[in-house]
Every structure is written in C-alpha cells, then in structure tokens.
Amino acid sequence: MCDPMTGEWMLGYFTAALPHFLAYFGAAIALAVTFLFLYAQATPHREFALIRAGNVAAATQLVGTFLGFAVPVSIVIGHAASVPDMLLWGAVAAVVQLLVFVAVSRFLFRAISDRITEGCTASGLFVGGMGLGVGILQAACMVP
C-alpha cells in the first residue's frame, strides 16, 4: 500500500494526471487561437494590426473579449466530462463573444468599430468590458 504522504504516491499521481492536463491544455490553447483568429476576421477592424501600431483601444477591446471567452472555457474545463465536451462548450463561448460584438456594433453603437480604429479607448474598453461581463455570466451558467 502506498502512503499518500510519500513521494512515490505523489509521483504516481502526477504521472497519471499529466496526460489529462496536456490534453485539456493543448485543446484549450488550440481553441483560444482559433477563437482569436475567427474573432479578428469577423470584426470590421483589424485588431492585431492596430495593436502593432499602438492602438490601446483595440488592445483593450481584444483583451476584454479574450478574457470573456477564457473565463467560461476555464470553468468548463473544470466540469467537462471529456475533451470533446470542453471543445463543444468552448465553441459556445466563442459564439457568444461574437454575438456580443454584433449586438454592440449593430444595435448600440453602429460606429464603434470606426471609433476603435481611431483609437477611442472608451470604445475599446466598452466592447472589451461587455465581452468580459457576458463571459462571466456565461461561465456561471455553464456549470451543472
């Protein structure tokens, strides 16, 4: 019998858990990269080019939106039955973030993309903050 206080038990637990960590982490990173790529393609402004040019509004908007995506995904990882289950709920989180941008840019502030391109930090903060807020609400709804 292994004593749980020994290094042997801990090493056994670690080596058994490591493949699960790597599978979930790898899938989450792939999901995040895919989300960022698709989100940047879906918005009218080019976030990465604007960020490279020093546009704080675009950086604020993208960081807030990414956090609004990552928070629900992190909750899902802790409760998912499998990696495909996590990927499915992660896709839901991605779609919700895209819908947040659509709702803000089509129904609340039609010129918000132009304002972000112009460097209006308030606009970037608003979009990013809305994404984060909705992501937090979404995360709370994704636990069984």
Side-chain angles (χ1 to χ4, degrees):
M1 182 169 140
C2 291
D3 179 3
M5 299 306 287
T6 66
E8 178 184 327
W9 179 85
M10 290 178 73
L11 182 60
Y13 172 77
F14 176 76
T15 56
L18 185 60
H20 297 285
F21 163 78
L22 293 173
Y24 276 92
F25 187 65
I29 293 297
L31 190 61
V33 168
T34 302
F35 167 71
L36 286 171
F37 174 77
L38 293 174
Y39 185 85
Q41 295 303 311
T43 58
H45 53 280
R46 296 292 146 239
E47 284 90 347
F48 293 107
L50 292 169
I51 292 167
R52 277 194 233 37
N55 186 312
V56 176
T60 304
Q61 177 245 327
L62 190 59
V63 167
T65 298
F66 179 71
L67 290 173
F69 164 79
V71 169
V73 170
S74 69
I75 295 298
V76 165
I77 289 170
H79 293 89
S82 63
V83 171
D85 182 37
M86 182 271 293
L87 291 172
L88 180 62
W89 285 106
V92 170
V95 169
V96 168
Q97 287 303 310
L98 289 169
L99 291 175
V100 168
F101 183 79
V102 168
V104 169
S105 66
R106 300 271 164 98
F107 303 116
L108 292 177
F109 301 107
R110 286 194 169 285
I112 201 141
S113 184
D114 293 335
R115 302 278 297 152
I116 290 169
T117 301
E118 294 164 1
C120 177
T121 304
S123 295
L125 183 59
F126 181 77
V127 174
M130 293 303 290
L132 179 56
V134 169
I136 290 169
L137 293 174
Q138 181 182 4
C141 297
M142 289 183 156
V143 294

